[in-house]
Amino acid sequence: MMCRFFILFFALLLTFHPNSAQDNKRGNVWYFGYNAGIDFSATTPKALSDGKLFQREGCASICDEKGKLVLYTDGLQIWNNQHKVISADIQMGGDESSTQSAIIVPKPGNANVYYVFSTFSELVCVTVDITLNKGAGGIIDRTVLMRNSTEKLAAVRHCNGRDFWVIAHEFGNNIFRSYQITADGIQQVYVRSKIGSSLDLNKSVGTLKVSPTGRRMAMAIFGKSKYELFDFDNASGTVSNAITLEHPEFRWAYGVEFSPDEHFLYVCETVTLLSPILQMDISDPNPAKILSSKVEIGRPPESYYGALQLGPDNKIYVTRHGAKFLGVIHEPNKKGYSAKYINDGFKLSTGTSGMGLPNLISAVVREKSSVSLSQTKDCNNVTLTANVLPANSTVVYEWYKGDSLITSQHTAVYKPVSSGSYSVTVTNARCSEPPVHSENVDVEVLEVIPSVQKLECGLVELSASANARIRWSGQGISESDNALKKVTLEGSGVQTFNIRVFDKADSTCFIEKKIKADFGICDAKLLVPDIFTPNNDGINEVFKINVVGGEGMALNIYNRWGTSIFINADKDPQWNGKTNGMDAPIGVYTYLFKYKSSKGHEFTRRGTLILQR
């Protein structure tokens, strides 16, 4: 029978809180739709009426780190914080019917430079320096990054907390492109991920969103009745693990957004009147379970929905095309109707809602790595596993026993070979994070070190250093002594003994070792005459072997033809030269002498003797 244990030594903790998915101020001001706007700077969001944007679908805006408006765009033009166009002579890549016409990303390490990405059929990046033209801003570069793009465009913070990823999709295939934005600018060598559905003209429509932590991604596929979920590695920029969610209610899939805690995914169709907002539980990656969790949380009284966007206040805002109100999901981390969706959730002061809301950078909160240790035990086979969050492929592992580094171990799994207190340190190499440490885990592995000490010839002491109950077995070990840590034994020659160590909780679990003990050969000294003369003269009348340090046990005499002619099994036996009462002939005879030493060890000696008269 095997015993198995599982111990989780501490919970996996994330530094972000469900209510702080957007704790910076880059997304504080929105301009969208037909001259509509919102300012989230105060505790209560305020409707704005000064925006110049007049756009049916995709748009973007960005503030500085203090929450002051810097730029906004519809993907065709760029406005500064004075609502002046600064891109009149620049051909951008967006369109009024592009789902995600644009997104704006700050240049890492430079507070004055911003990258405005725009897409419809090609992906264009326009670089803006807001200090040009006496602070009105100006264009310093225009680059076409992709000639055949789709309407899907997203940005997410790199796990290093400084850089960004801009994610777009090629047209006519299933290839995502991830462009890294660093202090050196846009890295021209992008990350290519071939996964998910191939996007054509219609399927290009619909939102692409990255989750608040930057670890998941969702995509609406318009006209094909489905959404797709992915994993996103914001260390490497790769997209992986596609999950397809297909249902008739997703026919004209368009809007998609994650709850702040990433437990739920919210989706909605567009164009179809009175089509609902649906919530799905995505905590389990099984598609059937996700679809079975689908629940309607709201339905518009007129018109149709468009984009869903998580706001700085951790509420999700919903466009209603042509309406004076935005829908609001007030508690998106709660299940079903507890999410509290309200159709007339936010009133616009001027203008009306279109189908789009500002495209914002995801994962503005950086997750701090954490690590825990789990232990499994199958009899004496112990395995330690390091569990790291957020998971990525760039983790470096260092294992310790006490304060000593285990130099040969650099993977997430370690099998200890001895008892002790173990821990692991992990470093996220790609994200340049400081190392994080696990708590210590006490491991008990059955161990025994048997040893033997020769006390004197024929006498040894067996001893064992063990961390659990033991049992000896072997020649001469009694039942009363087999559980002792030290056993004294008499013997001869080399003998093998076994020792078992038993698990405290499971007596069927044990380890066994063997040890050899050399008792030595404790022989007596023999004084053997080579001739005797039984002629009745009183000298050398008998053949006798004297045993020094022992005693004789038996004497056999054989003639030259090998026939036994005399046997004496007395103590200290001897031969008087007679056989069957008659004098044996003169000649050479063979003897076989059996004796034992003072240690009780028995021996046999063979030799020849001469009988002379």
Side-chain angles (χ1 to χ4, degrees):
M1 186 176 75
M2 296 183 178
C3 63
R4 298 184 178 271
F5 307 92
F6 179 80
I7 307 172
L8 187 62
F9 286 91
F10 64 97
L12 304 177
L13 302 177
L14 302 179
T15 57
F16 77 99
H17 187 275
N19 291 324
S20 61
Q22 300 212 33
D23 67 349
N24 74 6
K25 301 179 180 180
R26 290 285 189 185
N28 269 14
V29 179
W30 295 5
Y31 288 105
F32 57 93
Y34 306 110
N35 300 126
I38 307 176
D39 186 347
F40 290 91
S41 300
T43 303
T44 302
K46 175 185 176 182
L48 298 174
S49 59
D50 55 353
K52 302 299 182 182
L53 190 143
F54 195 87
Q55 169 74 324
R56 181 170 183 257
E57 293 191 63
C59 56
S61 58
I62 196 166
C63 298
D64 62 20
E65 293 181 347
K66 295 181 180 180
K68 181 181 178 182
L69 178 68
V70 177
L71 300 170
Y72 62 101
T73 181
D74 58 4
L76 299 166
Q77 298 185 94
I78 304 170
W79 289 269
N80 63 16
N81 58 8
Q82 299 302 312
H83 308 287
K84 303 295 184 182
V85 175
I86 60 174
S87 61
D89 299 327
I90 296 294
Q91 180 66 43
M92 297 177 64
D95 190 89
E96 70 167 357
S97 65
S98 175
T99 306
Q100 291 172 294
S101 187
I103 198 162
I104 306 172
V105 178
K107 182 176 183 180
N110 191 328
N112 299 320
V113 176
Y114 290 80
Y115 298 106
V116 181
F117 295 85
S118 53
T119 187
F120 181 56
S121 60
E122 65 178 11
L123 178 63
V124 176
C125 179
V126 172
T127 307
V128 177
D129 187 334
I130 61 173
T131 65
L132 297 179
N133 302 318
K134 299 181 180 180
I139 307 300
I140 59 176
D141 184 63
R142 175 186 181 273
T143 302
V144 178
L145 296 172
M146 191 189 327
R147 290 294 180 185
N148 294 295
S149 65
T150 65
E151 301 178 23
K152 301 190 188 301
L153 186 62
V156 56
R157 186 180 290 276
H158 192 287
C159 71
N160 63 22
R162 300 182 306 271
D163 301 339
F164 298 90
W165 294 102
V166 171
I167 308 161
H169 200 290
E170 295 183 8
F171 181 84
N173 58 39
N174 65 338
I175 296 173
F176 288 96
R177 292 189 185 186
S178 300
Y179 294 89
Q180 187 174 356
I181 315 300
T182 72
D184 295 326
I186 304 170
Q187 304 303 297
Q188 295 302 310
V189 179
Y190 57 85
V191 178
R192 184 175 183 268
S193 300
K194 189 173 184 180
I195 192 169
S197 295
S198 180
L199 300 184
D200 57 22
L201 184 60
N202 283 333
K203 287 185 283 187
S204 172
V205 177
T207 309
L208 175 69
K209 284 291 179 74
V210 183
S211 67
T213 63
R215 290 191 282 115
R216 304 194 77 180
M217 195 167 73
M219 180 170 69
I221 304 177
F222 184 83
K224 295 297 180 180
S225 302
K226 64 182 176 181
Y227 291 86
E228 289 182 336
L229 271 169
F230 307 91
D231 288 340
F232 183 77
D233 186 340
N234 61 352
S236 66
T238 56
V239 183
S240 61
N241 298 329
I243 299 173
T244 299
L245 305 173
E246 194 165 0
H247 194 275
E249 286 187 282
F250 303 160
R251 175 64 177 169
W252 305 112
Y254 189 86
V256 60
E257 186 58 284
F258 292 89
S259 62
D261 64 2
E262 301 183 15
H263 194 91
F264 298 107
L265 186 71
Y266 292 88
V267 299
C268 64
E269 293 184 298
T270 194
V271 179
T272 304
L273 295 175
L274 307 180
S275 180
I277 296 176
L278 301 170
Q279 180 199 75
M280 291 181 284
D281 186 336
I282 58 171
S283 57
D284 189 314
N286 183 289
K289 289 185 178 180
I290 294 174
L291 287 171
S292 67
S293 72
K294 177 175 60 65
V295 60
E296 176 182 329
I297 65 163
R299 192 180 291 264
E302 79 294 318
S303 189
Y304 51 83
Y305 291 130
L308 304 170
Q309 178 60 54
L310 181 64
D313 57 358
N314 285 295
K315 298 178 182 180
I316 295 178
Y317 290 79
V318 187
T319 59
R320 292 159 49 195
H321 188 259
K324 294 286 292 182
F325 287 88
L326 294 179
V328 179
I329 304 173
H330 285 270
E331 298 190 47
N333 288 337
K334 293 187 176 180
K335 187 174 181 179
Y337 286 109
S338 297
K340 296 182 181 178
Y341 171 73
I342 299 177
N343 263 311
D344 292 345
F346 184 85
K347 185 176 182 181
L348 304 173
S349 62
T350 59
T352 58
S353 171
M355 293 169 59
L357 288 171
N359 200 5
L360 304 177
I361 301 169
S362 298
V364 294
V365 175
R366 181 183 180 188
E367 284 185 286
K368 182 180 178 182
S369 294
S370 63
V371 58
S372 67
L373 279 183
S374 58
Q375 178 182 172
T376 57
K377 186 175 182 182
D378 182 359
C379 190
N380 205 45
N381 183 17
V382 178
T383 301
L384 295 177
T385 302
N387 307 293
V388 181
L389 280 180
N392 67 78
S393 59
T394 65
V395 169
V396 177
Y397 299 88
E398 289 186 334
W399 288 88
Y400 290 84
K401 181 180 181 182
D403 295 328
S404 300
L405 176 66
I406 303 170
T407 57
S408 61
Q409 184 64 30
H410 302 289
T411 63
V413 176
Y414 177 60
K415 294 182 177 294
V417 295
S418 60
S419 299
S421 182
Y422 290 85
S423 63
V424 67
T425 295
V426 298
T427 305
N428 188 342
R430 185 172 296 167
C431 293
S432 303
E433 290 183 351
V436 293
H437 314 279
S438 74
E439 290 186 348
N440 290 333
V441 173
D442 291 328
V443 171
E444 185 173 278
V445 177
L446 294 179
E447 297 175 84
V448 61
I449 303 175
S451 61
V452 59
Q453 180 181 4
K454 189 172 182 179
L455 303 178
E456 58 183 72
C457 185
L459 188 66
V460 300
E461 181 183 75
L462 303 179
S463 61
S465 174
N467 61 350
R469 179 173 61 88
I470 66 169
R471 186 172 70 209
W472 293 98
S473 61
Q475 183 177 341
I477 298 180
S478 66
E479 189 69 25
S480 61
D481 292 342
N482 67 6
L484 299 178
K485 293 292 180 71
K486 291 186 178 183
V487 180
T488 301
L489 295 173
E490 290 186 345
S492 178
V494 178
Q495 296 184 35
T496 299
F497 299 90
N498 295 336
I499 183 170
R500 288 182 176 182
V501 183
F502 294 87
D503 188 276
K504 296 176 182 177
D506 181 4
S507 60
T508 65
C509 172
F510 60 85
I511 63 170
E512 185 174 57
K513 287 189 177 181
K514 296 180 182 296
I515 188 171
K516 291 184 177 181
D518 187 354
F519 289 85
I521 305 299
C522 306
D523 201 350
K525 183 178 179 181
L526 299 185
L527 301 177
V528 184
D530 56 6
I531 188 171
F532 80 112
T533 57
N535 55 9
N536 299 316
D537 63 357
I539 302 173
N540 294 327
E541 293 292 328
V542 296
F543 173 74
K544 179 181 179 182
I545 298 175
N546 293 313
V547 182
V548 180
E551 62 182 27
M553 298 172 65
L555 176 65
N556 284 12
I557 303 296
Y558 300 87
N559 62 22
R560 60 180 177 173
W561 294 282
T563 302
S564 176
I565 62 170
F566 176 80
I567 298 175
N568 187 340
D570 295 335
K571 182 178 179 181
D572 292 328
Q574 58 187 21
W575 182 37
N576 60 5
K578 295 183 181 293
T579 176
N580 296 323
M582 303 291 292
D583 288 339
I586 295 171
V588 178
Y589 293 84
T590 299
Y591 68 85
L592 194 67
F593 181 59
K594 187 175 181 181
Y595 65 99
K596 63 181 178 180
S597 69
S598 59
K599 294 292 185 182
H601 302 160
E602 296 183 0
F603 302 91
T604 300
R605 179 77 61 85
R606 179 189 293 271
T608 59
L609 64 98
I610 298 173
L611 188 155
Q612 184 70 47
R613 296 191 187 275

